[in-house]
Amino acid sequence: MASGFSWGQIARLGLVQTALGAVVVLITSTINRVMVVELALPALVPGGLLGLHYAVQTLRPRWGYGSDRHGRRTPWIVGGMAALCLGGFGTACATALAAHHLAAGLALAVLAFLTVGMGAGAAGTSLLVLLSGGVAEGRRGAAATIVWVMMIAGFAVTAPLAGHFLDPFSGARLMAVSGTVSVLAFAVACLAVAGVEGRGAAPAAVQKAPFGAVLARVLAEPDARRFTLFIFVSMLAYSAQELILEPYAGLAFAMTPGATTKLSGLQHGGVLAGMLGVAAVTAGIGGPVFGSLRLWTVAGCLGSGLALLAIAAAASAGPGFPLRAAVFALGLANGVYAVAAIGTMMGLAGRGDPAERGTRMGVWGAAQGVAFGAGGVLGTLCVDLLRLAVAEPLRAYAAVFTAEAVLFGISAAIALRLAAPASPARESALAGAARLSLGTGFEAR
């Protein structure tokens, strides 16, 4: 089909991300909380388990290559979702078991979290490859926006509903809720993807070369290698503040836990506003400048760096500093950076050899997963180490925020060297995203 996927088919594929988000949010929020609070385990336990989930993302290139070998992405999406849902239910079972038999529960948790990581990686990589090959150039920015927001919708819908049915809490109730979410998520994903690949996408070229040769060829491409570095550095900067921003606000401004939670919500609201702001400008103005993915990527990185510098200066400025405004600005710039980078990733994957798209997307997915996992660990580790070296704890936080700002500056410099889209259609991809996103109701988590 020359025109690629229709808007309806793109939205259907976005439902796969919704299902993925529904399973993952229970693991990162509910399971994490139960282990720390109800089971009184050290926070390092769920942190280490989540680290396994990110560590296994290094296998994404191999899963992408597997879909290249078969020439079809749907079986990998369905298989990945099956593993993800099974692993998600397994984490609930492991948590309930740990309440009575700690060693057995933790052993099962290790297996379950590894399964979650493999499932999310296989399904997510193949889904993005399917979109990059089946979506017309002028719709890639819109498709990136849709699937990103629909994943957030999975978070937003599942968390409160699951919380309602979890009270009064028990291990059996946790397993029942998790099992129900997993079954529904798998059913939604299967229905969403059924028949789409056959009707909307051109037959994929089948990869016959060995994995090592294909991976070496992808990494030898200057554009692919440069974008891999950009993804790693920018995601490292993006994720390093996630676990330290709320403690910093509590120490520097004596905010209560409820107030810092609202601060986090304000940041996510800024992310949404950034996405919609880019959409509004590209729809109203567009053109080679304001419709440029590279321009918005660079602007988002520089804006994020400036906001982090402002947050770092907050402690020295005192109680009168507008911390909420700075945090909102950080979210705003993050949103601009995120939507532009995802659109660029789809465009670069779609530009390459069709028989190597899965491997290429897997390389970028691996860089993103590893950087995201490492960012949270390094951010907290650096704060702890610096607090041993400086008398004032707030200076430790400020130093880490400043380092993140530097990383965003480096990311902007790398983004300036990324290859510009080869056609005006790709440059106007975000204009399509704007027109679509402004006509739909988005909610941030």
Side-chain angles (χ1 to χ4, degrees):
M1 184 180 295
S3 60
F5 291 137
S6 66
W7 291 123
Q9 290 171 324
I10 293 171
R12 283 181 59 186
L13 291 176
L15 284 172
V16 178
Q17 287 286 72
T18 302
L20 190 152
V23 176
V24 169
V25 72
L26 289 182
I27 298 168
T28 57
S29 60
T30 306
I31 299 296
N32 175 53
R33 177 247 154 80
V34 170
M35 285 186 173
V36 174
V37 178
E38 275 73 18
L39 301 187
L41 295 175
L44 183 62
V45 172
L49 291 170
L50 283 171
L52 290 177
H53 159 264
Y54 287 117
V56 80
Q57 303 302 310
T58 55
L59 297 176
R60 276 181 180 253
R62 186 61 181 82
W63 297 323
Y65 171 80
S67 67
D68 286 338
R69 289 277 290 180
H70 292 86
R72 284 180 57 81
R73 317 298 176 182
T74 300
W76 286 83
I77 296 172
V78 173
M81 285 302 301
L84 171 65
C85 293
L86 181 63
F89 179 59
T91 63
C93 294
T95 304
L97 178 61
H100 306 285
H101 303 283
L102 182 59
L106 292 181
L108 178 59
V110 169
L111 179 61
F113 273 85
L114 287 173
T115 304
V116 166
M118 290 187 287
T125 299
S126 297
L127 177 66
L128 287 176
V129 176
L130 179 58
L131 284 165
S132 69
V135 175
E137 287 185 355
R139 292 181 173 180
R140 281 178 181 153
T145 304
I146 290 172
V147 298
W148 191 86
V149 172
M150 290 185 76
M151 182 176 68
I152 300 300
F155 297 160
V157 171
T158 304
L161 283 177
H164 173 75
F165 289 106
L166 277 171
D167 290 329
F169 178 79
S170 69
R173 189 177 287 267
L174 175 64
M175 289 191 294
V177 170
S178 176
T180 301
V181 170
S182 292
V183 169
L184 290 176
F186 182 67
V188 167
C190 289
L191 291 174
V193 80
V196 173
E197 186 172 11
R199 292 199 299 267
V206 177
Q207 179 58 252
K208 296 181 179 179
F211 172 66
V214 175
L215 181 62
R217 197 155 56 228
V218 168
L219 294 177
E221 297 175 10
D223 288 343
R225 190 168 60 247
R226 191 175 296 121
F227 191 68
T228 302
L229 179 62
F230 166 76
I231 287 290
F232 183 83
V233 175
S234 62
M235 283 305 301
L236 196 64
Y238 181 91
S239 61
Q241 55 78 30
E242 285 219 334
L243 298 179
I244 65 174
L245 180 58
E246 288 193 43
Y248 174 74
L251 288 171
F253 293 88
M255 286 187 171
T256 65
T260 59
T261 299
K262 291 178 182 178
L263 192 67
S264 180
L266 183 67
Q267 181 183 358
H268 291 306
V271 172
L272 173 61
M275 293 179 64
L276 295 179
V278 171
V281 173
T282 52
I285 302 176
V289 177
F290 291 101
S292 169
L293 289 169
R294 182 164 57 180
L295 168 71
W296 291 111
T297 303
V298 172
C301 289
L302 291 177
S304 297
L306 290 174
L308 284 164
L309 289 176
I311 292 171
S316 301
F321 183 86
L323 180 64
R324 289 175 58 83
V327 170
F328 181 81
L330 175 62
L332 190 75
N334 285 170
V336 171
Y337 145 74
V339 71
I342 294 171
T344 300
M345 180 167 63
M346 290 182 61
L348 288 175
R351 182 192 307 174
D353 184 347
E356 296 177 354
R357 284 176 181 166
T359 306
R360 185 176 290 104
M361 192 68 78
V363 168
W364 297 331
Q368 177 184 351
V370 172
F372 198 91
V377 174
L378 290 176
T380 53
L381 177 62
C382 288
V383 165
D384 288 341
L385 291 177
L386 287 171
R387 290 185 68 171
L388 298 176
V390 298
E392 176 56 54
L394 294 180
R395 291 185 180 178
Y397 285 92
V400 175
F401 288 132
T402 302
E404 291 177 62
V406 172
L407 287 177
F408 267 122
I410 295 172
S411 300
I414 298 172
L416 282 172
R417 300 184 61 200
L418 295 176
S423 68
R426 188 175 291 132
E427 278 288 85
S428 63
L430 280 182
R435 287 186 285 272
L436 182 70
S437 60
L438 289 176
T440 57
F442 288 157
E443 292 183 9
R445 55 173 170 160

